[in-house]
Each structure stands twice: as C-alpha cells, then as structure tokens.
Amino acid sequence: MVSNNRERINAKVSNSTEHGVNFTIDLVAENALLLSWQAKISLTQHNEIIALQAMITQQLGELIIETVASYHCLMVYYCPQLSSSLQVIDKINRVAKNASHKNSNGDEQDNNPNNKLAHQAAHEHCIKIPVYYDREQEWDLADVAKRCNMSMDEVIKQHSAHTYHGYALGFTPGFCYLASLPESLQLPRKSSPRIKVPKGAVAIAEQQSAIYPIESPGGWHIIGQTPLPMYESHHGQFNASIQVGQNVQFYAISKAEFLALEQGLAE
Amino acid sequence: MKQNFLEIITMNGQASIQDLGRLNAQHLGFSASGAADEFAFLSANQLIANKLSIKPVHSIAKTNNKLANDAAIEITLGQISFKANAACTIAITGADCQAKINNVTINNWQCHQLLAGDIIDFAMPKTQLHSYLTILGGFTCQTAQQPWLGSLAQTVNEMALGFTGEALRVGSKLYFSTKNQPLAEATLTQQTQLASLKANRPTTAPALFYPQQKLTLRVMPSRLFLQMSSAQQQQFLTTEYVISPDSNRMGYRLQVKPPQTSSPSPDKKILTQPLRSQCLLSMPVTYGMVQFPENEQPIILMKERQTMGGYPVLGTVMQTDLFRLSQMRPGAEVAFTLITYPQAQQQLRAFYQKLY
C-alpha cells in the first residue's frame, strides 16, 4: 500500500544538482520546506548555506516567515496563504541559480581586500571557555571515558586541546553548535534524552560539542560545566556569547575556580 | 489609563500566557511556543469577537496584532481561580473545568460577564488538559508588557531570560491589554445589547473536532521514511503507541503499547542502522516532527519544541491533529497513518478559514 502511494506522497520535490545548485528541497510541514546539502561538516558548504539564507530572506520578502540554518540544512518557513509550496520552491531555485551564476562570474565581495581582512579577523578571534570537568558528579565524563576507551584525563585533554567553529545557533536561545570534535571522542547521542540538563553544561555528541545556556532537556553526553553565561540581554536585545562563524576553545578549571567564577559573575 | 486585571488567587496546576507563538525568532534559538490547542484558543477569541460584534481585521502575511491572536491564559489541568478588579467580558474554551463565577456553575465554550470583585474558579477537568480564558485585546502579565519578538507567548525553558514576564503564580496580575481596553470594559448594558445580536457559539462544534476514541495521527512522511522498506514502514504504521507520562508542551513521548497477548512483539528494528547513520548531524526541526531515537519510542515535537534536533525524523504530524493530540493525557493510545502534503495543507487552510 505504501509503495503504491509512493509517487503521490513522495516528499522529495526538487533535486537541483544538475544546475550547479547543490541541495535538494523537501516539504516537511504544511508551511515549511527543508533545503538539504550533503550531510557533512564543511566550512565552504556552510558559507554557501548562510549566503543563500541571506538572499532568500532579502529577495522573497514577506513570503518568508523565518529561515533557520544548520550544518547542512536550511529550514524555510513560508506563508502558505500567499503562495503554494511549489511556487516557493520555484522561487528558491531561481534565487540559488542566480547566486551560483554570479559566483561563477567572480564574486566581487571576496576580492575586496578589506572584506578579506575582516573575515580573517573574525575567524582568528578565539573565545576561551573555562570548564570544570566534573569527575565526581552523576554526569557522563566517566561513561564517555569508558566508551572511548581512555582515561578521564585523556578525555579532558583531547576536548580542550581542540579549536571549534560555531556552525548553528539553535535548540534553545544561545546554544551554539560547535564542530568538529576529535574523532576519538565521537559517540552517538544518548539512546534516550535526559529530561533536565543544567545551565552551563558542556556536552558532546557525534562530531559536535556545545554548552547548554539554560536548563533544558538534552540528549548529549555531559562532560563538564562552565560558569560563563551563554547570552546577554539588555534593552530588549538578545546576544549569544558564541555566534555562528566564531572560534571557540575550552580550558580546564578546578571546582574551586568554577565556584569562584560563578560567584564573581553573580555579583 | 487605569490598568485593569484578573488576579490569580489560588493555583494548583499550570498556567501561562499564550498566543499563536513566536514564529520568527527560531534562528536565534527561541522556541516558537504558542497555544497548545489552537482550536480552543482561536475559538475563545472568536467567541469574544462575535459577542462584541467586532469584525477581525486580517493581515494574512503578518500574524501579529490580529484579533484572533490576542493572548489568552492557557490553563493546564484547571485548579486555578481569579478575581476581577473591573467589569469585563471573557470567553472560556478547551478542557471543561466546571468553571464557576461566584460559586455558580457556568458553561464552557461561551462568553461570560464578570463584574468588579467577581471570582471565577476552575476545577480539575475530567478529560483533556488545556483550557483557555480570554478577553478582548488579550492579557499581558505586566502592565506595559510589549510582545517579545512578535509574541507574548511564555516558554518554560526561556522564563529565566525574563522577556515574557514572570511565570504565573498566586498573586500574579493578568492585565487587560490596553489596545482594546475601552471595548473590553464596555458597560454591561452596551455589551448585553451587542450580545443579543450574535449567537454565543463557536462556528465549529468542539464535539466534532476532538476524537471520542483513539487518535490516529496523520503523518506526512519524511524522505527518510520513504527510504525504509515497505515492511519497516508497515511495522511503524501498525504499531500501537501509548502517550508517556514524560509528555509536555514541548514534546509528546510515546511508548510502544505492551502486547495484549503473550505472543512476542517483533524485535526487529523499524529503522535500520544504515538509515539511522545518515542522520548524525543536528538540523532544524518543526512542529509535529516525529523524532525516532535509538530506543524507537517516538517523540512528537509540540508547541514548546526546541528549534534544532539530532534524532532521525520519520515524518511530520499534520497540525490540526497536533491540536487534538495536545489535549490528550498520558496513557491514551495513538497510532499513525499517512497523509499527503496537499491533503494536510488543505485541512489546515479549512481550519483557519473557520477560526481566523
């Protein structure tokens, strides 16, 4: 029964790879389309996604309610009262084709030396995050060490030796997806997510690491906690401490340092 | 202008301010949030509009500042009472909490007049979860509360940010929004005259909207689902699930219903490891997506869902079924069946035509 209906219900509605556009478009809800690139973590691909996101937002105007980008996907929420999904798909494809055409003719912005410098500066700046890697608590450091076949010290050493890049902001306000985690630390998510993960929890899953900005549910392995806030807000503005495109490093602190920093921030 | 309000005088359940949600701040990581059951929420605002003979002004592209989107109090499992400090017309819908005004039982799915000093009391409902209490212009939980990023909706996981007021508790004052205050506080005589012109009924009967028995959720299949074998698809579609006690406004967790007979349940996995391994990277998620963690107990993403998720997604439950699901309690049985995207879009369009 299912396979007979396959044509009619097929979610895959567009595959544009032959036009120099590297993504597919799927309907995923009554009002949402998902653009998917190759499932990989790649800076080049990520830049392409962010650029297309900006163009869709700019060129399709009030048709678009919201766009959310990640490593290899772009969710586009549109207004179904204003346009059919097929029309929106068509418009997105046209935006993408124009963009890829412009790129093949040489992108002016990339040749501007000032932009290049600003780009470099943003990438070289590295946010340092203090982490209390907790060996005593009920969290997952011991379990991660066991599953990765190394000591807890080695997990800490490897996690903090690496530089990470911010690929997406989401899940909860200020939660920035950082990649890539060293291969030796890569584990699948927990088979069932925790109902509550504490604020500041430093966690890993698959190729990613991240910090939970507020208490929330979560399915990643918690290896430590930072006293630093992951956002600041004043005058109705919301700023994430780690933004997409920034670099991040972790460094180990003791429990006493954690408590002192936490107290210092609270005052 | 004088600020009028309802004050919470007793509270044993949960309550929050909700509208149609914060739809365009998901890129910052904010939950879309919003009323769990849009049928009951929109019906409440429609009752108020009908009662006061107000024609809603629609701007379809922009969901803000619409009468249909006026913020209501979402009451979960009743057990709350309010005192009015000024006369006002309210509407109540959703789970039937045997509401009383000054100890006199009143009808659900209707408008009611409150006078200054009146007390309205909600008991625990016998069935369903969420009830809505609304007023013309809507409620805010602080005197000069402005919508935060387009919405007044409160999200449990974001209360610490402080953008949408405090979590509701005894002593909280729910202010009448100032945008329609003169009408909201129209004198009793004026309102009674208006009321006589209008039927005091929602346009769609609640009895027809909510399922009487088991709910079969209509799901739009994901690309991943279409890659599964027919046998695996069938296994998913024939499995009976029970709503887990861990369910909330964020997500509904389902458990495989224990088999009635002693025959062993198939221990074959629905999602094979090769397909599962395609879904390692977190990606944006939306309302109604059916996540499928390794334990194969589905999680359906509801209004207070996160914006990103990392579990494989088998499909998306159509929105009008999600409104129904949001009223179902842990222990209730659900199953899945397929629906096409155009069919689901048509259902939603028809829904909004009636209630917007």
Side-chain angles (χ1 to χ4, degrees):
Chain A
M1 175 204 89
V2 176
S3 50
N4 288 345
N5 278 339
R6 199 172 273 214
E7 272 314 304
R8 221 152 50 81
I9 59 174
N10 201 336
K12 181 178 163 180
V13 292
S14 168
N15 197 335
S16 317
T17 39
E18 71 269 29
H19 303 294
V21 173
N22 309 313
F23 58 86
T24 54
I25 306 184
D26 290 307
L27 288 165
V28 289
E30 291 94 328
N31 59 346
L33 301 165
L34 187 70
L35 282 56
S36 308
W37 282 255
Q38 254 186 62
K40 62 178 182 184
I41 297 177
S42 147
L43 259 178
T44 322
Q45 179 173 285
H46 189 248
N47 285 335
E48 189 188 319
I49 294 168
I50 303 294
L52 184 63
Q53 178 182 27
M55 286 184 283
I56 288 172
T57 309
Q58 202 176 28
Q59 293 175 32
L60 300 195
E62 67 173 5
L63 202 55
I64 304 301
I65 293 166
E66 165 76 311
T67 58
V68 185
S70 70
Y71 296 102
H72 70 301
C73 291
L74 183 64
M75 182 79 87
V76 178
Y77 294 95
Y78 67 97
C79 198
Q81 294 94 332
L82 294 184
S83 188
S84 76
S85 47
L86 289 175
Q87 287 170 320
V88 181
I89 288 165
D90 188 49
K91 284 179 181 176
I92 290 173
N93 273 326
R94 261 186 274 164
V95 171
K97 274 171 212 164
N98 285 340
S100 79
H101 185 246
K102 265 183 201 160
N103 276 340
S104 61
N105 291 342
D107 189 339
E108 279 175 33
Q109 280 198 343
D110 272 3
N111 294 329
N112 182 329
N114 287 335
N115 281 345
K116 248 185 188 166
L117 281 177
H119 194 65
Q120 268 177 4
H123 282 262
E124 276 159 19
H125 177 70
C126 191
I127 301 167
K128 303 276 198 293
I129 306 282
V131 184
Y132 170 47
Y133 292 96
D134 192 345
R135 292 173 177 80
E136 306 152 24
Q137 286 281 326
E138 75 271 31
W139 308 117
D140 304 318
L141 184 59
D143 184 51
V144 166
K146 199 173 140 196
R147 293 177 66 175
C148 294
N149 218 355
M150 60 176 82
S151 67
M152 286 193 266
D153 282 336
E154 189 59 26
V155 173
I156 296 168
K157 194 179 147 197
Q158 292 205 16
H159 185 254
S160 56
H162 203 73
T163 302
Y164 303 84
H165 184 82
Y167 275 90
L169 204 53
F171 175 60
T172 58
F175 184 103
C176 195
Y177 290 79
L178 305 168
S180 297
L181 194 69
E183 224 166 282
S184 51
L185 290 180
Q186 291 179 12
L187 292 171
R189 285 174 190 77
K190 297 176 82 69
S191 61
S192 184
R194 274 195 178 90
I195 306 290
K196 271 183 186 174
V197 167
K199 175 183 174 181
V202 176
I204 58 170
E206 316 290 354
Q207 295 154 282
Q208 313 160 105
S209 190
I211 302 155
Y212 286 85
I214 46 179
E215 187 182 278
S216 65
W220 295 21
H221 307 271
I222 303 168
I223 58 171
Q225 198 172 5
T226 181
L228 290 192
M230 283 301 106
Y231 61 87
E232 52 160 23
S233 58
H234 50 90
H235 304 302
Q237 292 285 319
F238 179 86
N239 294 308
S241 306
I242 306 173
Q243 306 216 346
V244 174
Q246 287 183 318
N247 289 335
V248 175
Q249 260 192 329
F250 297 100
Y251 66 97
I253 56 170
S254 67
K255 188 173 188 171
E257 287 172 303
F258 175 87
L259 294 172
L261 272 168
E262 195 174 45
Q263 187 156 13
L265 287 164
E267 276 165 9
Chain B
M1 192 184 283
K2 190 181 63 156
Q3 282 279 287
N4 290 327
F5 55 82
L6 297 185
E7 182 175 351
I8 299 178
I9 52 175
T10 64
M11 179 171 174
N12 277 315
Q14 295 166 37
S16 60
I17 299 280
Q18 297 298 339
D19 53 23
L20 290 175
R22 196 167 284 106
L23 300 177
N24 50 8
Q26 295 176 79
H27 67 283
L28 297 170
F30 284 90
S31 171
S33 196
D37 175 5
E38 286 190 19
F39 177 78
F41 167 77
L42 291 170
S43 295
N45 277 337
Q46 191 181 58
L47 281 167
I48 286 277
N50 285 349
K51 178 93 177 180
L52 300 180
S53 285
I54 292 159
K55 244 193 146 79
V57 181
H58 289 175
S59 157
I60 280 168
K62 299 191 173 75
T63 49
N64 304 331
N65 301 323
K66 222 179 315 175
L67 193 63
N69 197 19
D70 285 347
I73 306 168
E74 182 178 287
I75 298 162
T76 302
L77 286 173
Q79 306 164 86
I80 191 167
S81 60
F82 305 86
K83 186 174 184 175
N85 92 322
C88 58
T89 304
I90 56 159
I92 56 171
T93 60
D96 189 352
C97 296
Q98 309 289 309
K100 291 176 178 164
I101 296 175
N102 301 331
N103 270 323
V104 177
T105 304
I106 56 170
N107 286 333
N108 199 16
W109 300 94
Q110 273 191 19
C111 285
H112 300 280
Q113 181 65 38
L114 292 181
L115 298 173
D118 279 356
I119 288 173
I120 181 163
D121 179 72
F122 293 81
M124 184 178 323
K126 290 196 176 75
T127 58
Q128 303 196 315
L129 288 169
H130 308 290
S131 314
Y132 294 86
L133 166 57
T134 195
I135 188 172
L136 184 71
F139 288 104
T140 68
C141 55
Q142 278 165 15
T143 49
Q145 181 90 42
Q146 293 300 309
W148 165 251
L149 302 169
S151 167
L152 288 165
Q154 295 183 316
T155 303
V156 170
N157 279 339
E158 295 164 14
M159 292 311 286
L161 296 165
F163 296 124
T164 51
E166 288 180 354
L168 303 191
R169 55 186 159 73
V170 171
S172 292
K173 289 172 178 155
L174 288 311
Y175 290 91
F176 307 173
S177 162
T178 48
K179 64 179 174 179
N180 281 311
Q181 196 166 8
L183 260 171
E185 293 167 9
T187 66
L188 194 55
T189 333
Q190 283 171 317
Q191 291 185 348
T192 313
Q193 283 167 353
L194 291 171
S196 64
L197 301 170
K198 284 282 170 183
N200 194 8
R201 290 276 170 219
T203 37
T204 307
L208 297 178
F209 183 77
Y210 298 107
Q212 298 304 308
Q213 308 259 308
K214 189 174 89 176
L215 177 61
T216 301
L217 298 164
R218 285 162 284 183
V219 63
M220 297 165 267
S222 68
R223 181 181 295 221
L224 181 71
F225 185 86
L226 298 173
Q227 287 175 286
M228 287 160 48
S229 71
S230 291
Q232 289 165 329
Q233 292 177 341
Q234 278 309 320
Q235 196 183 332
F236 173 69
L237 294 171
T238 53
T239 302
E240 293 188 309
Y241 294 98
V242 174
I243 298 170
S244 146
D246 286 342
S247 302
N248 53 30
R249 275 180 42 87
M250 189 171 186
Y252 262 50
R253 290 171 185 237
L254 306 182
Q255 293 164 339
V256 176
K257 187 184 163 189
Q260 297 291 320
T261 59
S262 57
S263 67
S265 57
D267 51 343
K268 260 191 164 163
K269 286 279 185 188
I270 289 174
L271 192 59
T272 59
Q273 212 50 47
L275 285 178
R276 186 171 286 282
S277 64
Q278 290 180 14
C279 312
L280 298 183
L281 287 175
S282 293
M283 51 180 256
V285 293
T286 190
Y287 186 37
M289 275 188 170
V290 182
Q291 294 186 324
F292 211 59
E294 220 152 331
N295 62 11
E296 302 216 324
Q297 313 280 321
I299 302 168
I300 302 172
L301 301 181
M302 302 298 274
K303 282 293 181 83
E304 275 194 38
R305 66 194 174 276
Q306 65 274 38
T307 63
M308 292 272 187
Y311 291 115
V313 171
L314 297 190
T316 308
V317 176
M318 63 181 237
Q319 293 191 19
T320 46
D321 278 351
L322 294 167
F323 307 152
R324 296 175 171 101
L325 178 65
S326 78
Q327 289 285 16
M328 296 184 71
R329 297 184 179 191
E333 291 175 25
V334 293
F336 295 96
T337 189
L338 294 180
I339 191 168
T340 68
Y341 286 85
Q343 283 169 338
Q345 285 169 329
Q346 177 50 39
Q347 295 271 343
L348 191 62
R349 218 176 1 254
F351 175 85
Y352 283 133
Q353 269 163 9
K354 281 187 189 130
L355 283 166
Y356 233 38

